[in-house]
Amino acid sequence: MFFSPFFKYRFWKMKCFSRYLPYIFRPANTILSSSCHTEADIISTVEFNHTGELLATGDKGGRVVIFQREQESKNQPHRRGEYNVYSTFQSHEPEFDYLKSLEIEEKINKIRWLPQQNAAYFLLSTNDKTVKLWKVSERDKRPEGYNLKDEDGRLRDPSMITSLRVPVLRPMDLMVEATPRRVFANAHTYHINSISVNSDYETYMSADDLRINLWNFEITNQSFNIVDIKPANMEELTEVITAAEFHPHHCNTFVYSSSKGTIRLCDMRTSALCDRHAKFFEEPEDPSNRSFFSEIISSISDVKFSHSGRYIMTRDYLTVKVWDLNMENRPIETYQVHDYLRSKLCSLYENDCIFDKFECVWNGSDSVIMTGSYNNFFRMFDRNTKRDVTLEASRENSKPRAVLKPRKVCVGGKRRKDEISVDSLDFSKKILHTAWHPSENIIAVAATNNLYIFQDKVN
């Protein structure tokens, strides 16, 4: 059945408050001004954890905000609650490389969750150079009755201690703590664009423009270089790595995409250095569609394995493609995201929008694909019925329990009442980052400094 394009949704407006707690969240019917938001407040990544109970966002200010889903209501036991703020912490700070006279931004490029093994949660976050492993844990008890310290934490005079006390745990208000457990630094010369946790949960990889490194979670001062495409002469450089991901089930397999629109599948059992790929996926270009912008728009901005591990999904500037691992010469499915922009490539090149990096995601059953577009539009494609829909994330439609209506873009001629002209699209409003709940029809969409959470329509 096609995933319903109509959503009841919950909406939180993000407003600047302070550097370490930048967001105030309100119901949809509360109007908040967005005039105070800064560049640092723009959301740069969104990620659900493996159960979907937590949702993490990172922004250009180096901050991570984690939302937790409320438990079932007693009045409505079959209905789950909304996502509310669970923890906020500063993950990265701006740095300066004095050897290269290079400023390193604090912007969070990617967040990846580790499967939960105990009461605590663990996640990886990265900026351009440094990956950090964070532990997020709860504390609702505190120890009291120390022998060498008083209740305020000051050291007591040992000569005044005449009896032995056994410390006890006292209840306290619930406090969520985020502590850095590992810092993986100084391994990338170029900007990190991807991190991916391996299915063995002992290793992960980080990828930059020219290299991919394999890390062990317990070793921070050493990584193993598994891909290096840097030529001896940089003038001979023809492509860069744009995204990389491990296979969801096979710990020896991973893929990475390039700016030339190609995907390479590598097997770490073949050799230590995976410069020679096991499979190479590329679609031949139609000579009739060749233009000045062909190489730019064919660059892959995101690559994702399906949950089953059978397919690969890639996103370039105009399309989303699905590849079967057993067929390398062409994709089995191609979906046009915003083909009406093909005539606008010249102006999109002039305003640099043509270099925007859109992400794409699968739903939990790999039957529906979602990706972003301009004017705060995002697109959904049903792989079974081949139906597609365009939806909009906007404050104007943010009424409680509202139903999102499909949007249509008019290319030319007469425009209907419910259509928007391609010339009226706002290219400063773009949906670059999206996430899908691993098992339910709940999606998170980041639009500038706004976070929208949509839920499938429930009768």
Side-chain angles (χ1 to χ4, degrees):
M1 181 179 293
F2 178 63
F3 178 58
S4 171
F6 306 104
F7 294 86
K8 290 182 179 178
Y9 72 100
R10 300 170 172 87
F11 161 75
W12 289 271
K13 171 62 185 163
M14 298 185 173
K15 182 179 178 182
C16 181
F17 180 70
S18 68
R19 177 161 180 79
Y20 293 97
L21 186 59
Y23 307 142
I24 299 176
F25 298 84
R26 294 289 186 270
N29 57 349
T30 302
I31 305 300
L32 297 175
S33 172
S34 61
S35 59
C36 72
H37 94 267
T38 63
E39 183 78 9
D41 298 326
I42 296 176
I43 300 173
S44 55
T45 184
V46 184
E47 188 79 8
F48 281 101
N49 73 337
H50 290 73
T51 63
E53 296 302 303
L54 298 180
L55 171 66
T57 65
D59 63 24
K60 290 189 175 182
R63 295 156 297 208
V64 173
V65 179
I66 301 176
F67 306 90
Q68 184 182 47
R69 197 177 185 187
E70 292 179 350
Q71 298 302 315
E72 292 182 356
S73 171
K74 294 181 179 179
N75 299 329
Q76 296 175 306
H78 300 292
R79 183 174 179 178
R80 300 300 304 273
E82 299 179 349
Y83 285 85
N84 293 318
V85 176
Y86 179 66
S87 177
T88 303
F89 59 92
Q90 187 74 24
S91 176
H92 287 72
E93 297 281 359
E95 301 175 26
F96 190 81
D97 188 336
Y98 294 97
L99 295 177
K100 299 180 180 179
S101 297
L102 181 66
E103 185 178 352
I104 303 173
E105 294 182 346
E106 65 270 37
K107 171 192 170 187
I108 306 297
N109 292 338
K110 294 291 180 182
I111 291 175
R112 290 293 180 264
W113 289 92
L114 276 67
Q116 187 177 6
Q117 304 293 337
N118 49 41
Y121 303 96
F122 290 86
L123 62 86
L124 290 171
S125 63
T126 184
N127 65 350
D128 287 340
K129 299 293 183 181
T130 304
V131 183
K132 294 184 179 181
L133 175 65
W134 289 88
K135 176 184 179 182
V136 181
S137 57
E138 298 180 353
R139 189 169 61 156
D140 59 358
K141 293 181 176 64
R142 66 171 181 268
E144 291 183 358
Y146 288 108
N147 289 282
L148 300 180
K149 294 181 180 179
D150 59 22
E151 301 305 329
D152 296 327
R154 294 188 295 265
L155 289 174
R156 300 170 61 189
D157 185 357
S159 62
M160 301 297 292
I161 301 175
T162 59
S163 61
L164 180 65
R165 296 192 297 175
V166 178
V168 295
L169 294 175
R170 303 291 187 191
M172 60 175 286
D173 293 336
L174 179 65
M175 181 172 63
V176 180
E177 297 177 320
T179 54
R181 298 302 300 270
R182 303 282 190 276
V183 178
F184 307 89
N186 305 319
H188 285 276
T189 305
Y190 308 98
H191 293 175
I192 298 174
N193 55 50
S194 302
I195 51 176
S196 180
V197 179
N198 202 347
S199 59
D200 61 11
Y201 305 132
E202 295 181 0
T203 57
Y204 77 93
M205 69 177 175
S206 56
D208 65 23
D209 294 337
L210 298 179
R211 295 187 178 96
I212 300 177
N213 292 332
L214 181 68
W215 299 83
N216 187 292
F217 281 111
E218 302 299 324
I219 303 173
T220 61
N221 60 353
Q222 187 178 9
S223 63
F224 192 82
N225 181 232
I226 54 176
V227 172
D228 187 349
I229 65 170
K230 181 181 179 181
N233 183 2
M234 286 295 285
E235 294 182 357
E236 299 175 357
L237 181 67
T238 59
E239 63 180 336
V240 295
I241 299 170
T242 56
E245 187 177 64
F246 268 118
H247 191 282
H249 310 303
H250 304 312
C251 61
N252 55 283
T253 307
F254 67 94
V255 295
Y256 68 93
S257 58
S258 80
S259 57
K260 275 192 169 182
T262 61
I263 310 105
R264 292 172 173 85
L265 178 74
C266 299
D267 190 335
M268 292 189 291
R269 297 173 299 183
T270 304
S271 62
L273 189 61
C274 299
D275 285 350
R276 301 183 65 178
H277 48 266
K279 290 190 175 184
F280 183 78
F281 301 86
E282 183 180 23
E283 183 178 23
E285 183 183 10
D286 185 353
S288 62
N289 292 331
R290 180 73 182 176
S291 69
F292 171 79
F293 306 105
S294 295
E295 290 189 9
I296 301 176
I297 63 175
S298 65
S299 175
I300 296 174
S301 57
D302 195 17
V303 59
K304 294 281 176 60
F305 271 108
S306 62
H307 295 87
S308 66
R310 171 70 185 273
Y311 305 102
I312 302 172
M313 173 172 57
T314 60
R315 170 69 203 265
D316 56 42
Y317 189 69
L318 294 178
T319 65
V320 173
K321 297 175 181 176
V322 177
W323 303 76
D324 191 314
L325 289 185
N326 298 322
M327 189 166 68
E328 304 173 48
N329 60 338
R330 61 183 176 85
I332 59 172
E333 301 165 20
T334 300
Y335 301 99
Q336 299 294 333
V337 179
H338 39 216
D339 196 54
Y340 47 78
L341 295 181
R342 196 174 292 274
S343 61
K344 301 284 185 181
L345 293 179
C346 186
S347 58
L348 291 169
Y349 178 80
E350 292 176 354
N351 61 20
D352 287 341
C353 285
I354 200 171
F355 301 105
D356 287 333
K357 299 181 182 300
F358 293 95
E359 297 176 1
C360 53
V361 291
W362 304 86
N363 72 336
S365 61
D366 299 332
S367 60
V368 183
I369 290 169
M370 177 174 63
T371 190
S373 182
Y374 293 104
N375 207 70
N376 279 359
F377 290 167
F378 58 98
R379 301 268 284 145
M380 288 185 174
F381 304 93
D382 189 296
R383 298 180 59 209
N384 297 325
T385 64
K386 304 306 178 184
R387 292 172 58 191
D388 63 88
V389 66
T390 301
L391 301 174
E392 182 182 8
S394 68
R395 293 188 62 203
E396 287 73 16
N397 299 328
S398 59
K399 296 180 180 180
R401 304 184 184 278
V403 176
L404 287 185
K405 296 181 179 179
R407 301 300 306 271
K408 292 183 179 180
V409 178
C410 175
V411 178
K414 293 184 178 181
R415 181 172 62 88
R416 296 181 181 179
K417 182 179 180 181
D418 57 343
E419 292 181 339
I420 181 172
S421 171
V422 67
D423 297 321
S424 303
L425 296 176
D426 188 345
F427 294 103
S428 64
K429 297 179 179 180
K430 58 193 77 172
I431 304 293
L432 300 177
H433 313 288
T434 58
W436 203 307
H437 191 286
S439 59
E440 299 182 37
N441 284 333
I442 299 175
I443 59 175
V445 175
T448 318
N449 65 315
N450 300 306
L451 177 65
Y452 300 84
I453 297 179
F454 302 89
Q455 182 176 354
D456 191 10
K457 182 180 179 181
V458 179
N459 294 327

